[in-house]
Amino acid sequence: MNRTPALSRREWLKLSSAGVISFSMSGWLENLAAATANNPQRRKSCILLWMNGGPSQMDTFDLKPGHANGGPFKEIATAVPGIKISEHLPKIAKHMNDMVLVRSMSTKESDHGRASYFLRTGRTPGGPVQYPTIGSALSKELGDPNAELPNFVSIAPYRFLSPAAYTSGFLGPQYAPLIVADNAFTFGPQQESNIDQLLKVEDLDLPGGVTTKRSSSRVQLLQEMEQEFIATRPGAAPLSHRTAYQRAVTLMRSAAAKAFNLSEEPKSVRDAYGRGLFGQGCLLARRLIEHGVPFVEVTHSNAPGLNGTLGWDTHQNNFENVQKLSAVLDQGWAMLMTDLKQRGLLASTLIVWMGEFGRTPRIATDRKGRDHWANSWTTVLAGGGIRGGQVIGRTSKDGATVEERPVTVPDLLATVTTALGVDFMKQNPSNVGRPIRIAEPTSKVIKEVLA
């Protein structure tokens, strides 16, 4: 007979943050995880791990040992017999039972800006339609419009090359992401010591000398002025302004804003994720999912000691830089999955790993680099809504072509949408007056990955 007392999720959070019970105490955590996982009211969530620059599939999840294109990295076995990945992802390898490798992406766009827009919206850029990023489209369907926390949070994005790929488009400003640590991709001792501040929402506290009552009066006055302005000057800009202020005020007044306070976490947990921006971003993603945010994205753009590259855009020193980037990825992503599973959240949380494209199979020997490549590359799905322990598709021995089960961007996004319980054929009114589906109607869901 199990005599472990039942804990509510709120009680667990209080005890954990206070240090009363340890991160992995046997019995308590397992009991809470089982209750959370079996809760029929638990909403589905998604975490997008965005690899800025385009990661090399040949050096992460689709190695070609023995071929001239293969490079120096070795394969290692994973938790699933027959599936092998890079030696520099040993912790992730242990989670392969909960992962699907899609090795047959074929997407055609190989410019950073255009490809980012394509992967994040499901459409190629151009034309009058302002398509929303996938986080906005899904958070609209999965989120609670009355939630105190935003339904979509973007952590450390690098938006410079494709700003439109990060907007809510025709869905409107109420579905835009809350962005923290914007473009904070540099790495070093100064950043590490300042990560808690980077990952907080700015200006949540009242200014010195301003009481809550006085603040409420100011907000009321602002709302009245904005209402008068919008009544005489309707349009997207004033509505966006009002929406931004309303969201800010709601967050300022909410106790849920403490989800952004990483100092509540035990030191052992923070260390386990890795103390860099990506690792702590993954920890923040877990906290936000735990507090009911349905869509969170974390961008991985840097690692200690990168040599001559921004993120995964490894035109030079590919192997040296991918090894460093992989170390950060391995620690943060593996701990995220462990943490979610122990808290009973992995079964309801889909994790998507991708960048805007892959890297060339052929190595530029003069600079030891790999260039942009969209013909045959890899994305990964993990966690909730999918049947793990699989590989979808196959590339040729040299990695240059897809030989089995090609997957397009619309196919991938329709699969992600379906795994989250959302109908990708649902239509939303657009800025050009005609309804637009979440994903293209010609999309083919990868049905074999769905749980």
Side-chain angles (χ1 to χ4, degrees), residues 27-39:
W28 294 83
L29 186 55
E30 288 79 357
N31 184 66
L32 176 69
T36 303
N38 294 324
N39 183 358

PDB file of all heavy atoms in Angstrom, residues 27-39:
ATOM      1  N   GLY A  27       9.229   9.053  -3.899  1.00  0.00           N
ATOM      2  CA  GLY A  27       7.876   8.975  -3.374  1.00  0.00           C
ATOM      3  C   GLY A  27       7.086  10.240  -3.588  1.00  0.00           C
ATOM      4  O   GLY A  27       6.076  10.239  -4.285  1.00  0.00           O
ATOM      5  N   TRP A  28       7.531  11.332  -3.000  1.00  0.00           N
ATOM      6  CA  TRP A  28       6.799  12.584  -3.109  1.00  0.00           C
ATOM      7  C   TRP A  28       6.697  13.047  -4.569  1.00  0.00           C
ATOM      8  O   TRP A  28       5.610  13.346  -5.063  1.00  0.00           O
ATOM      9  CB  TRP A  28       7.480  13.680  -2.282  1.00  0.00           C
ATOM     10  CG  TRP A  28       7.463  13.446  -0.812  1.00  0.00           C
ATOM     11  CD1 TRP A  28       8.326  12.676  -0.091  1.00  0.00           C
ATOM     12  CD2 TRP A  28       6.516  13.970   0.128  1.00  0.00           C
ATOM     13  NE1 TRP A  28       7.994  12.693   1.235  1.00  0.00           N
ATOM     14  CE2 TRP A  28       6.889  13.489   1.397  1.00  0.00           C
ATOM     15  CE3 TRP A  28       5.401  14.805   0.019  1.00  0.00           C
ATOM     16  CZ2 TRP A  28       6.187  13.814   2.542  1.00  0.00           C
ATOM     17  CZ3 TRP A  28       4.699  15.142   1.160  1.00  0.00           C
ATOM     18  CH2 TRP A  28       5.085  14.637   2.411  1.00  0.00           C
ATOM     19  N   LEU A  29       7.850  13.131  -5.230  1.00  0.00           N
ATOM     20  CA  LEU A  29       7.864  13.647  -6.592  1.00  0.00           C
ATOM     21  C   LEU A  29       7.145  12.712  -7.547  1.00  0.00           C
ATOM     22  O   LEU A  29       6.383  13.139  -8.407  1.00  0.00           O
ATOM     23  CB  LEU A  29       9.307  13.870  -7.043  1.00  0.00           C
ATOM     24  CG  LEU A  29       9.500  14.535  -8.397  1.00  0.00           C
ATOM     25  CD1 LEU A  29       8.749  15.861  -8.453  1.00  0.00           C
ATOM     26  CD2 LEU A  29      10.975  14.762  -8.661  1.00  0.00           C
ATOM     27  N   GLU A  30       7.373  11.398  -7.358  1.00  0.00           N
ATOM     28  CA  GLU A  30       6.718  10.443  -8.244  1.00  0.00           C
ATOM     29  C   GLU A  30       5.196  10.495  -8.092  1.00  0.00           C
ATOM     30  O   GLU A  30       4.439  10.369  -9.048  1.00  0.00           O
ATOM     31  CB  GLU A  30       7.239   9.027  -7.954  1.00  0.00           C
ATOM     32  CG  GLU A  30       8.663   8.776  -8.423  1.00  0.00           C
ATOM     33  CD  GLU A  30       9.708   9.342  -7.481  1.00  0.00           C
ATOM     34  OE1 GLU A  30       9.324   9.995  -6.480  1.00  0.00           O
ATOM     35  OE2 GLU A  30      10.902   9.147  -7.742  1.00  0.00           O
ATOM     36  N   ASN A  31       4.742  10.676  -6.850  1.00  0.00           N
ATOM     37  CA  ASN A  31       3.315  10.760  -6.594  1.00  0.00           C
ATOM     38  C   ASN A  31       2.705  11.975  -7.277  1.00  0.00           C
ATOM     39  O   ASN A  31       1.656  11.900  -7.921  1.00  0.00           O
ATOM     40  CB  ASN A  31       3.072  10.824  -5.085  1.00  0.00           C
ATOM     41  CG  ASN A  31       1.594  10.812  -4.726  1.00  0.00           C
ATOM     42  OD1 ASN A  31       0.910   9.830  -4.957  1.00  0.00           O
ATOM     43  ND2 ASN A  31       1.115  11.903  -4.173  1.00  0.00           N
ATOM     44  N   LEU A  32       3.387  13.108  -7.164  1.00  0.00           N
ATOM     45  CA  LEU A  32       2.898  14.327  -7.804  1.00  0.00           C
ATOM     46  C   LEU A  32       2.921  14.186  -9.321  1.00  0.00           C
ATOM     47  O   LEU A  32       1.979  14.585 -10.005  1.00  0.00           O
ATOM     48  CB  LEU A  32       3.756  15.521  -7.391  1.00  0.00           C
ATOM     49  CG  LEU A  32       3.402  16.834  -8.078  1.00  0.00           C
ATOM     50  CD1 LEU A  32       2.046  17.346  -7.610  1.00  0.00           C
ATOM     51  CD2 LEU A  32       4.462  17.878  -7.840  1.00  0.00           C
ATOM     52  N   ALA A  33       4.000  13.595  -9.845  1.00  0.00           N
ATOM     53  CA  ALA A  33       4.116  13.440 -11.294  1.00  0.00           C
ATOM     54  C   ALA A  33       2.988  12.588 -11.849  1.00  0.00           C
ATOM     55  O   ALA A  33       2.394  12.905 -12.876  1.00  0.00           O
ATOM     56  CB  ALA A  33       5.468  12.816 -11.642  1.00  0.00           C
ATOM     57  N   ALA A  34       2.670  11.492 -11.157  1.00  0.00           N
ATOM     58  CA  ALA A  34       1.606  10.618 -11.632  1.00  0.00           C
ATOM     59  C   ALA A  34       0.261  11.342 -11.630  1.00  0.00           C
ATOM     60  O   ALA A  34      -0.526  11.224 -12.572  1.00  0.00           O
ATOM     61  CB  ALA A  34       1.532   9.363 -10.759  1.00  0.00           C
ATOM     62  N   ALA A  35       0.023  12.116 -10.573  1.00  0.00           N
ATOM     63  CA  ALA A  35      -1.238  12.846 -10.491  1.00  0.00           C
ATOM     64  C   ALA A  35      -1.343  13.893 -11.592  1.00  0.00           C
ATOM     65  O   ALA A  35      -2.396  14.083 -12.206  1.00  0.00           O
ATOM     66  CB  ALA A  35      -1.362  13.510  -9.117  1.00  0.00           C
ATOM     67  N   THR A  36      -0.234  14.583 -11.868  1.00  0.00           N
ATOM     68  CA  THR A  36      -0.225  15.616 -12.903  1.00  0.00           C
ATOM     69  C   THR A  36      -0.406  15.004 -14.290  1.00  0.00           C
ATOM     70  O   THR A  36      -1.190  15.488 -15.108  1.00  0.00           O
ATOM     71  CB  THR A  36       1.097  16.406 -12.858  1.00  0.00           C
ATOM     72  OG1 THR A  36       1.253  16.959 -11.549  1.00  0.00           O
ATOM     73  CG2 THR A  36       1.096  17.529 -13.871  1.00  0.00           C
ATOM     74  N   ALA A  37       0.312  13.917 -14.560  1.00  0.00           N
ATOM     75  CA  ALA A  37       0.243  13.293 -15.876  1.00  0.00           C
ATOM     76  C   ALA A  37      -1.142  12.735 -16.167  1.00  0.00           C
ATOM     77  O   ALA A  37      -1.593  12.730 -17.316  1.00  0.00           O
ATOM     78  CB  ALA A  37       1.282  12.177 -15.975  1.00  0.00           C
ATOM     79  N   ASN A  38      -1.837  12.258 -15.119  1.00  0.00           N
ATOM     80  CA  ASN A  38      -3.143  11.641 -15.316  1.00  0.00           C
ATOM     81  C   ASN A  38      -4.303  12.625 -15.195  1.00  0.00           C
ATOM     82  O   ASN A  38      -5.463  12.225 -15.280  1.00  0.00           O
ATOM     83  CB  ASN A  38      -3.335  10.509 -14.295  1.00  0.00           C
ATOM     84  CG  ASN A  38      -2.359   9.367 -14.521  1.00  0.00           C
ATOM     85  OD1 ASN A  38      -2.034   9.061 -15.655  1.00  0.00           O
ATOM     86  ND2 ASN A  38      -1.893   8.750 -13.449  1.00  0.00           N
ATOM     87  N   ASN A  39      -3.994  13.886 -14.995  1.00  0.00           N
ATOM     88  CA  ASN A  39      -5.030  14.893 -14.852  1.00  0.00           C
ATOM     89  C   ASN A  39      -5.659  15.177 -16.214  1.00  0.00           C
ATOM     90  O   ASN A  39      -5.007  15.714 -17.106  1.00  0.00           O
ATOM     91  CB  ASN A  39      -4.436  16.183 -14.274  1.00  0.00           C
ATOM     92  CG  ASN A  39      -5.482  17.259 -14.037  1.00  0.00           C
ATOM     93  OD1 ASN A  39      -6.669  17.076 -14.338  1.00  0.00           O
ATOM     94  ND2 ASN A  39      -5.049  18.373 -13.488  1.00  0.00           N
TER      95      ASN A  39
END
